[in-house]
């Protein structure tokens, strides 16, 4: 059941009808007022340059956790892998939770992270295990901050460029390393405007898709200025829709927003996009990733049109990124076009 809920979470977060609301604190910058405390200007500067320091660091190993509570059930999607901050490429292996009896309900999902794209293998839903599904992250409403079940590590660091309300909690030990713990909020729109080119597109999409830009965070930075851990708190609002399958555009514009219970069909153009189906069994939200036109936004004109049975659901999503073993190799090779799936995409737990 837990894996079914987690699979449904992935489906819901991939919804083409998703909008997101991030709740946070005030927009004022807060100084650390303790004796000997770091000035607010220094704290903000440390967070703003975190992404640049990671790029200079080259690469690292990564652990990810995405947690949510839905229907009284708390689920966690955990990942591990490596990231090359110079090439802006990463590889993660995501593990969905076991069921109540400890049995595996879904095999691990492999994700490749690239500038403007997310590749997923072993996605399930009738997709051949040797094929990849590609999602254009510049065209989905959250910019893949939560869509794939793990936040891109570089995007998580780039989000801190918009940090505004910041305080220094203090120094702590983390995996044997002394780190400074910062707490505050970041502004997703501000971060998108100053992000590095490879991340600017997805963050700009998130800035358009999220209705509120204040994102609470806790960040841990070591004495070399490297981000060691960051936790963002998201509140995602998605629509449940009852009705028919999503159908693909044949002119390369991507699939229209699908409806619950059936798989969508990916666009057949030369871009990439999200298909229209939603998950059954525990969670919902229209849209699965597929190969085809640009990321689908539902009805023509870029907005999906919910049916008369549309219901809004709110999920609290906590995304944590842990970085360690800096300099470790991060070998990532993107799939060839012949290895990318172009057919129908359904629920991830089927």
């Amino acid at each position: 059941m837990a894996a079914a809920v987690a699979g449904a979470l992935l489906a819901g977060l991939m919804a083409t009808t998703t909008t997101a609301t991030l709740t946070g604190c005030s927009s004022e910058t807060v100084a650390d007022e303790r004796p000997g405390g770091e000035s607010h200007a220094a704290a903000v500067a440390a967070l703003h340059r975190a992404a640049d320091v990671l790029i200079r660091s080259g690469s690292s190993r990564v652990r990810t956790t995405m947690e949510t509570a839905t229907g009284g059930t708390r689920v966690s999607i955990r990942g591990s892998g490596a990231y090359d901050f110079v090439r802006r490429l990463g590889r993660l292996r995501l593990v969905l939770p076991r069921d109540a009896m400890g049995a595996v309900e879904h095999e691990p999902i492999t994700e490749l992270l690239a500038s403007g794209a997310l590749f997923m293998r072993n996605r399930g839903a009738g997709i051949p295990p040797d094929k990849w599904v590609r999602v254009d992250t510049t065209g989905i409403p959250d910019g893949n901050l939560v869509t794939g079940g793990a936040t891109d590590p570089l995007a998580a660091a780039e989000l801190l460029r918009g940090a505004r309300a910041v305080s220094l909690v203090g120094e702590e030990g983390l995996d044997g390393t002394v780190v400074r713990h910062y707490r505050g909020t970041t502004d997703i729109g501000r971060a998108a405007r100053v992000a590095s080119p490879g991340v600017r597109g997805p963050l700009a999409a998130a800035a358009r898709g999220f209705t509120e830009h204040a994102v609470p965070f806790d960040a841990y930075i070591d004495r070399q200025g490297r981000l060691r851990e960051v936790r963002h708190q998201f509140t995602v609002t998605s629509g449940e829709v009852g009705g028919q399958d999503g159908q693909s555009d044949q002119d390369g514009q991507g699939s229209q927003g699908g409806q619950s219970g059936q798989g969508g069909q990916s666009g057949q153009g030369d871009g990439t996009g999200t298909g229209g189906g939603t998950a059954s069994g525990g969670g919902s939200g229209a849209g699965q990733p597929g190969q085809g036109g640009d990321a689908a936004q539902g009805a023509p004109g870029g907005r999906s049109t919910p049916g008369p049975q549309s219901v809004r659901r709110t999920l609290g999503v906590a995304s944590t990124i842990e970085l360690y073993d800096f300099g470790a190799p991060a070998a990532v090779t993107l799939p060839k076009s012949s290895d990318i799936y172009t057919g129908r995409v359904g629920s991830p737990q089927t």
Side-chain angles (χ1 to χ4, degrees):
M1 175 61 183
V5 174
L9 168 64
L10 281 170
L13 294 178
M14 290 176 181
T16 58
T17 57
T18 293
T19 60
T21 303
L22 303 184
T23 57
C25 308
S26 72
S27 61
E28 297 180 1
T29 299
V30 178
D32 179 23
E33 298 177 350
R34 297 171 303 154
E38 184 176 62
S39 71
H40 77 274
V44 170
L47 294 165
H48 284 184
R49 64 174 176 261
D52 294 329
V53 175
L54 288 180
I55 292 172
R56 291 197 297 270
S57 299
S59 62
S60 78
R61 299 194 188 280
V62 181
R63 286 189 294 262
T64 68
T65 305
M66 190 163 285
E67 300 173 294
T68 190
T70 177
T73 301
R74 179 168 294 277
V75 296
S76 298
I77 301 172
R78 301 186 183 277
S80 60
Y83 200 97
D84 185 328
F85 297 103
V86 177
R87 298 171 62 210
R88 293 171 172 80
L89 293 174
R91 184 184 184 95
L92 295 174
R93 181 179 183 268
L94 298 186
V95 178
L96 274 63
R98 295 172 179 263
D99 67 14
M101 302 301 293
V104 175
E105 291 188 272
H106 193 289
E107 293 298 317
I109 297 173
T110 300
E111 293 191 351
L112 301 182
L113 309 170
S115 295
L118 166 67
F119 299 84
M120 305 175 74
R121 191 174 67 183
N122 200 20
R123 172 66 175 71
I127 299 171
D130 61 337
K131 293 292 186 180
W132 295 86
V133 171
R134 185 185 190 279
V135 181
D136 179 0
T137 58
T138 67
I140 52 180
D142 77 320
N144 194 35
L145 294 180
V146 295
T147 286
T151 303
D152 182 299
L154 186 57
E158 293 277 356
L159 266 180
L160 297 177
R161 294 188 190 273
R164 50 190 194 184
V166 177
S167 63
L168 173 63
V169 177
E171 288 195 341
E172 303 176 13
L174 182 66
D175 293 335
T177 300
V178 176
V179 295
R180 287 197 163 194
H181 177 187
Y182 298 95
R183 177 172 294 156
T185 61
T186 187
D187 184 281
I188 195 169
R190 182 183 301 178
R193 290 191 293 272
V194 297
S196 58
V199 185
R200 191 174 301 152
L203 287 186
R208 293 189 298 269
F210 284 74
T211 59
E212 184 65 42
H213 289 175
V215 187
F217 69 85
D218 284 87
Y220 302 80
I221 295 179
D222 67 18
R223 290 175 176 173
Q224 287 73 47
R226 299 174 302 192
L227 183 66
R228 302 299 294 259
E229 182 176 325
V230 62
R231 178 183 177 93
H232 291 101
Q233 298 281 352
F234 302 96
T235 301
V236 181
T237 303
S238 62
E240 291 182 359
V241 194
Q244 59 189 350
D245 295 356
Q247 298 298 325
S248 65
D249 263 340
Q250 298 300 320
D251 59 0
Q253 298 304 309
S255 60
Q256 294 192 9
Q259 314 300 331
S260 65
Q262 301 293 333
Q265 188 172 357
S266 63
Q268 300 299 316
D270 57 2
T272 61
T274 54
T278 71
S280 59
S284 68
Q288 305 300 334
Q291 171 71 10
D294 293 340
Q297 300 298 321
R303 299 292 182 186
S304 61
T305 305
Q309 298 179 4
S310 177
V311 178
R312 308 302 294 175
R313 296 188 63 195
T314 299
L315 291 175
V317 180
S319 176
T320 302
I321 303 296
E322 301 172 67
L323 305 174
Y324 64 103
D325 200 4
F326 286 90
V332 181
T333 302
L334 298 182
K336 298 179 293 185
S337 58
S338 59
D339 293 328
I340 298 176
Y341 184 69
T342 60
R344 191 177 194 80
V345 181
S347 165
Q349 72 267 25
T350 56

